[in-house]
Amino acid sequence: MQGKIRLQMVVALALLAQPALAHTGEDVGGFMTGVMHPISGLDHVAAMVAVGLWGGILGKPALWLLPITFPLVMCVGATLGIAGVPFPAVETGIALSGVVLGAMVLFALRPPLWLAMAMVGIFAMFHGYAHGAELPTSASPIGYAAGFVLATSTLHLIGIAIGQLWQWRSGKVVVRAVGAAIALAGGAFLTGLA
């Protein structure tokens, strides 16, 4: 029990830490730009945390397979975005990811693992495409991708950490409330209220 609490505290403190850049204003290869892209938009943060939360509810092996599926498929979407391949309704897909994944957490829905992975993968394509399409012209695609994959994985880990509360009756209330908040935020993005 103490080990889990310590892990959650370490993750929380790591998120509060600011990077120490030796050359202020320089983003070598686009890595920091890539890190900042997923965490600078609440729509991205909500969906990525929801992936970890849902994995926490579903337990093993989904606990790890969902957060591994998302960044892998996200890289495919980013490649399409970088290449300029047309991809319809990107912002709608991103907003829907919050609604759907938040609802999956709120209602603790347990579809077959293949379906959960497919859902996460579809939403990852939209998020990845947005990341790739917004690649700064001066940035290295590899550095930028490494940054957004790292940030995404960190957000998944935060979701997993919160999802560990599911083990306790009062924790289930907290996890469901976070799922509801994510679904509402997704709905606000979908309807243009946010």
Side-chain angles (χ1 to χ4, degrees):
M1 172 96 145
Q2 278 186 323
K4 286 182 183 179
I5 292 171
R6 284 187 187 138
L7 175 63
Q8 291 170 350
M9 289 175 55
V10 167
V11 170
L13 289 173
L15 290 172
L16 295 174
Q18 296 294 316
L21 300 175
H23 304 283
T24 307
E26 291 184 25
D27 182 3
V28 179
F31 177 77
M32 286 307 298
T33 303
V35 167
M36 294 308 295
H37 193 266
I39 63 175
S40 63
L42 184 58
D43 51 351
H44 291 296
V45 171
M48 293 172 192
V49 169
V51 169
L53 277 170
W54 195 26
I57 289 171
L58 296 176
K60 294 177 184 173
L63 176 67
W64 300 110
L65 286 176
L66 298 185
I68 288 171
T69 299
F70 195 98
L72 288 175
V73 177
M74 186 178 63
C75 287
V76 174
T79 302
L80 296 174
I82 290 168
V85 175
F87 199 82
V90 173
E91 292 302 319
T92 301
I94 291 171
L96 277 173
S97 70
V99 173
V100 172
L101 294 171
M104 299 307 273
V105 171
L106 171 61
F107 298 112
L109 298 177
R110 297 176 174 273
L113 180 59
W114 69 267
L115 182 57
M117 290 175 65
M119 290 171 62
V120 164
I122 289 167
F123 291 132
M125 286 292 288
F126 289 104
H127 286 270
Y129 188 89
H131 295 329
E134 296 172 15
L135 171 74
T137 56
S138 63
S140 157
I142 301 295
Y144 181 73
F148 71 67
V149 167
L150 176 66
T152 296
S153 299
T154 302
L155 291 168
H156 291 331
L157 287 173
I158 291 168
I160 289 169
I162 296 168
Q164 295 309 296
L165 297 172
W166 191 257
Q167 300 171 44
W168 299 282
R169 186 179 312 172
S170 59
K172 284 179 173 59
V173 173
V174 171
V175 172
R176 286 179 188 264
V178 174
I182 290 170
L184 288 172
F189 288 115
L190 189 62
T191 59
L193 294 175

